[in-house]
Amino acid sequence: MFIQTESTPNPATLKFLPGQTVLDMGTADFPNSDGASASPLAGRLFAIDGVKGVFFGHDFVTVTKEDANDWDHLKPSILGAIMEHFQSGDPVMSGDAQAPSGHAEHTGEDGEIVGQIKELLDSRVRPAVAQDGGDITFHGFDRGVVYLHMQGACAGCPSSTLTLKMGIENLLRHYIPEVTEVRPVAV
């Protein structure tokens, strides 16, 4: 098994490509070790001293390190844990655990606007962000303000504010006049 690595715009995060499907559908975000019991792979990665966060996409694993640690020391252990996991035949998510991420439900009078927001996120934003080892999901819409949840490499990325304001906000405002602003949320 050969696992490729890619840097991301977030210097604290690396993207690992095991050359096979990680999750069939959706994404799974583990910003800390809480909840890692839902995933044998996340559990293995959090067992490595210095791993701060884990994110799974369709064909990649993104790992965020604690600031004091160096990638030269962490990377071999992470590669070993990912390789060991896929060779073991264990599932990425255990038992009934579902990939917990995705857009939040929205009920209310702005249903049509929210549908347009989600469509633009799914068709234009999320594929590009996945290339960088992260995901951005819809969290809410209130009086013109779109609230988005940033995951994986996007969470804590130095360029995330620029991505939100100059990229996503401009895109949404261009196509949906009711959108006035985009803000990040922590879930």
Side-chain angles (χ1 to χ4, degrees):
M1 175 179 224
F2 179 71
I3 302 170
Q4 295 179 320
T5 60
E6 292 180 2
S7 60
T8 72
N10 184 346
T13 305
L14 270 181
K15 182 177 174 182
F16 295 83
L17 299 138
Q20 62 189 71
T21 300
V22 176
L23 287 179
D24 289 324
M25 291 179 50
T27 61
D29 189 27
F30 301 93
N32 54 51
S33 60
D34 298 345
S37 61
S39 168
L41 177 54
R44 284 178 203 232
L45 293 168
F46 278 112
I48 299 168
D49 190 37
V51 170
K52 179 179 171 182
V54 175
F55 179 81
F56 302 140
H58 174 70
D59 62 352
F60 65 89
V61 174
T62 302
V63 177
T64 303
K65 70 176 182 70
E66 293 173 351
D67 292 337
N69 291 280
D70 186 82
W71 280 120
D72 291 336
H73 293 94
L74 280 175
K75 194 172 163 183
S77 299
I78 294 168
L79 287 167
I82 293 171
M83 188 174 299
E84 182 180 293
H85 175 80
F86 282 105
Q87 289 177 340
S88 75
D90 290 342
V92 172
M93 301 298 289
S94 54
D96 298 342
Q98 298 285 335
S101 299
H103 296 306
E105 292 298 319
H106 179 84
T107 56
E109 60 193 53
D110 298 321
E112 187 175 324
I113 294 168
V114 169
Q116 292 173 344
I117 292 167
K118 289 179 180 181
E119 172 60 32
L120 281 170
L121 290 173
D122 288 342
S123 64
R124 302 269 183 111
V125 176
R126 293 178 84 186
V129 172
Q131 292 295 315
D132 288 336
D135 196 10
I136 296 178
T137 57
F138 173 83
H139 186 74
F141 179 73
D142 184 35
R143 295 185 213 133
V145 180
V146 177
Y147 296 92
L148 300 177
H149 181 222
M150 304 179 85
Q151 303 170 323
C154 296
C157 177
S159 62
S160 64
T161 302
L162 187 64
T163 299
L164 275 180
K165 291 296 179 187
M166 301 305 289
I168 299 168
E169 184 175 291
N170 286 343
L171 174 79
L172 293 177
R173 288 174 67 190
H174 175 79
Y175 287 102
I176 307 168
E178 294 85 354
V179 172
T180 59
E181 185 181 0
V182 173
R183 294 183 192 165
V185 296
V187 176

